[in-house]
Amino acid sequence: MVKDIKKLEKIAQQLRIEIIKMITNAGSGHPAGSLGIADVMTALYFNVMKHDPKKPKWNKRDRLILSNGHVCPARYAAMAYAGYFPKKELMNLRKFGSKLQGHPSYTDFPAIESSSGPLGLNLSIAIGQALALKMDKNPATVYCVTSDGDHNEGNTWEAIMFAGNRKINNLINIIDRNHIQLSGKTKNIMPLEPLKEKYLAFNWSVIVINGNKISEIIKACERAKKIKKPVAIIANIIPGRGVSFMEGKSEWHGKAPKKEQAEQALKQLTR
Amino acid sequence: MKEKNTSTREGFGEAIFEIAKKKKDLIVLTADLRESTKVDKFAKKYPSRFIECGVAEQNMIGLAAGLALAGKTAVTTSFGVFTPGRTLDQIKINVCYNDVDVKIVATHCGINVGKDGATHQALTDIAVMRTMPNMTVISPCDFIEAKKATKAILGMKGPCYLRLGRAKMRIVTKEKDRFEIGKANVLMKGKDATIIATGYMVEKALKAAFLLKKDKIHASVINCHTIKPLDKKTIIEYAKKTKAIVTAEEHEVNGGLGGAIAELLSNNFPVPIEFIAVKDKFGQSGTIDELYKHYELDENSITKAVKNCIKRK
Ligand SMILES: Cc1ncc(C[n+]2csc(CCOP(=O)(O)OP(=O)(O)O)c2C)c(N)n1
Ligand SMILES: [Mg+2]
């Protein structure tokens, strides 16, 4: 476990560099969301979660369910840096035969816990796992990452209603609230506000943080674990974080940078 | 007209934009995919007839059925993995059981989605859609045919499914070719076997037929753009003429075009059939050519199937 926040920030920056290289090399992918969630992935894999890269199926591990599967480059990079597989394999992203599929594939890569990509499906999976852990008296926590887009889907709200009713307290839903989706800003496509109040009305506890501040992410997770209800951490995030021309831009939701753009991005990230 | 290689989704986008001017009761809906499904131009020009639903496909189909019950023609747009993917009940009950004028347009169908991988490659949509009473299922093979198909479904009343691809594909039909729903187009005539293809597999079927000529095998090629209702007359006629059928589709082997043709022929004129389709497998990431080859959807797989089928006569 890495405690030094400066060190964690360095890792997150390293992940961003990998994300740009991976997506550029693949020629397609989702840079804005991936860059934005890099701090959350760093906090989870290097500080918050109990896990063992050498034993990915260790029974007492905390689980991470990624619902907005399209930001998987950030998770893949974090897992490579944590020691799940060699870093050089990151360049196989989206390649034929690779375990690093364009959207996460559980059968190709079981350490990612569940396949995802179609939005709105995986909060239910996370709750199902949390229920099973409780039945087995397993003390592990289930972390779920969901996005703005996930919250457009009815299935997500069915899951929220269920977890609130059943007081699923070993579940933490970290919301990648980056305020963009595929075709524009969320406030112009499908506004979610007041999001906090919605969760409260469904009997959840809510913590609002700056999701690009690793110290805040860690603190929120520690607090959340002690709460006797399901907890939503609304992580306000800057999409495209670290690359000036991508920050806040839905245009970078789902396209790879061209060679010169990638060079410019890498220059900014290595500064 | 556009350049030589372009996608069926672009054909739809152009046609819907053209039709909108005259057809005032036309409403277009999308679920956060206006650009990918090529209705962005329509959305800009006709904002009052465009409905952005957010990433909520089930609600979108329900809204469309409601609009249609109130007299509109509603066109929904998303990827094939989401509509029909997650909206089966809405399509079955809201749209088909009510028998209303909703056109479900799905892009990113088949394996040609490429690098996004299995979750985004619709391979079960034909099977699902052709089990629905009242539903018409159309799968055009190129840009030109996609334009005609769009106009044709908007020229009829009732539920329709239009299956489109993401990738650019060579144009194999001509502007002057006839397009009629439920009437298959015979593209090549040969006595030894018949390849019945749909969507982007039509191009592969034509390539295969030319390759087969080198081995002195003469195959007929039929473009089966309408999967439901099937053109029974033409298909039975060619089963009788050639006594060997190879079906080709970018779809699961279970329940697709091949299944529909097997059902038809087993009732009417049984002949050996070989199926070019994905064989009970999920897709995956890769370039289009890698995937066509891996899942045996390329022209060489078709020529092999034709030869096998002829041996079984
Ligand atoms: C059910 C479903 N419908 C549509 C899509 C296509 N899609 C992929 S990402 C996306 C927008 C998602 O918004 P968000 O998750 O907030 O994305 P980001 O912040 O990364 O831009 C859409 C509509 C999908 N993946 N799943
Ligand atoms: Mg977002």
Side-chain angles (χ1 to χ4, degrees), chain A residues 6-269:
Chain A
K6 281 259 142 36
K7 261 195 198 146
L8 288 166
E9 285 168 356
K10 275 217 181 96
I11 296 170
Q13 197 71 353
Q14 207 56 47
L15 300 190
R16 291 193 167 91
I17 291 167
E18 295 290 358
I19 288 164
I20 293 294
K21 288 184 182 166
M22 289 160 76
I23 294 175
T24 308
N25 183 55
S28 62
H30 301 82
S34 302
L35 291 168
I37 204 71
D39 297 302
V40 166
M41 289 298 163
T42 304
L44 289 174
Y45 274 104
F46 292 89
N47 182 291
V48 173
M49 288 202 301
K50 286 197 287 293
H51 67 114
D52 182 354
K54 297 285 168 269
K55 279 188 261 159
K57 290 285 146 185
W58 172 48
N59 191 36
K60 295 275 157 63
R61 73 190 184 282
D62 291 335
R63 271 70 167 171
L64 171 59
I65 304 293
L66 177 64
S67 191
N68 46 333
H70 63 275
V71 303
C72 58
R75 180 177 194 172
Y76 294 154
M79 292 178 82
Y81 275 69
Y84 280 87
F85 60 90
K87 289 175 197 163
K88 64 173 193 301
E89 281 183 29
L90 287 172
M91 291 309 131
N92 295 341
L93 176 74
R94 293 177 160 253
K95 295 265 156 75
F96 181 75
S98 165
K99 70 171 180 251
L100 307 185
Q101 290 287 297
H103 291 80
S105 165
Y106 180 64
T107 48
D108 290 302
F109 186 22
I112 49 111
E113 308 282 2
S114 172
S115 300
S116 59
L119 292 160
L121 298 182
N122 273 265
L123 185 57
S124 298
I125 295 258
I127 297 168
Q129 291 217 356
L131 276 171
L133 292 174
K134 269 177 177 294
M135 289 171 192
D136 295 346
K137 308 229 172 346
N138 186 326
T141 301
V142 179
Y143 295 89
C144 187
V145 171
T146 56
S147 66
D148 306 308
D150 274 309
H151 287 79
N152 290 192
E153 288 283 354
N155 193 146
T156 299
W157 293 97
E158 294 172 27
I160 294 168
M161 190 164 3
F162 180 93
N165 281 333
R166 293 287 290 255
K167 300 200 172 50
I168 310 285
N169 65 341
N170 53 345
L171 170 77
I172 299 173
N173 179 18
I174 302 175
I175 302 168
D176 175 6
R177 184 80 174 102
N178 66 10
H179 301 265
I180 62 159
Q181 53 197 91
L182 191 142
S183 18
K185 295 205 185 304
T186 58
K187 69 170 197 279
N188 298 325
I189 303 295
M190 183 51 69
L192 297 177
E193 295 304 330
L195 187 59
K196 180 181 172 181
E197 287 76 3
K198 285 181 181 139
Y199 267 93
L200 291 174
F202 280 70
N203 290 323
W204 283 53
S205 193
V206 179
I207 303 172
V208 182
I209 62 164
N210 176 342
N212 293 119
K213 270 227 152 99
I214 292 178
S215 57
E216 285 193 29
I217 302 163
I218 293 172
K219 241 187 269 161
C221 289
E222 279 166 4
R223 238 184 84 202
K225 277 205 273 192
K226 294 188 190 115
I227 297 173
K228 296 279 169 253
K229 282 183 182 182
V231 181
I233 298 177
I234 299 179
N236 284 304
I237 280 173
I238 297 173
R241 174 74 173 181
V243 176
S244 60
F245 58 92
M246 291 186 183
E247 285 194 358
K249 295 245 155 54
S250 64
E251 291 81 350
W252 287 99
H253 159 85
K255 70 171 178 198
K258 299 208 170 68
K259 197 164 161 278
E260 312 76 62
Q261 293 169 317
E263 278 163 13
Q264 202 187 335
L266 290 172
K267 210 190 250 170
Q268 292 182 16
L269 290 167

Side-chain angles (χ1 to χ4, degrees), chain B residues 61 84 87-93 95-96 104 129 132 135:
Chain B
I61 301 291
T87 54
L88 198 56
D89 214 18
Q90 284 80 6
I91 294 174
K92 189 168 72 191
I93 304 303
V95 177
C96 290
I104 294 157
M129 289 306 229
M132 309 255 189
M135 181 63 82

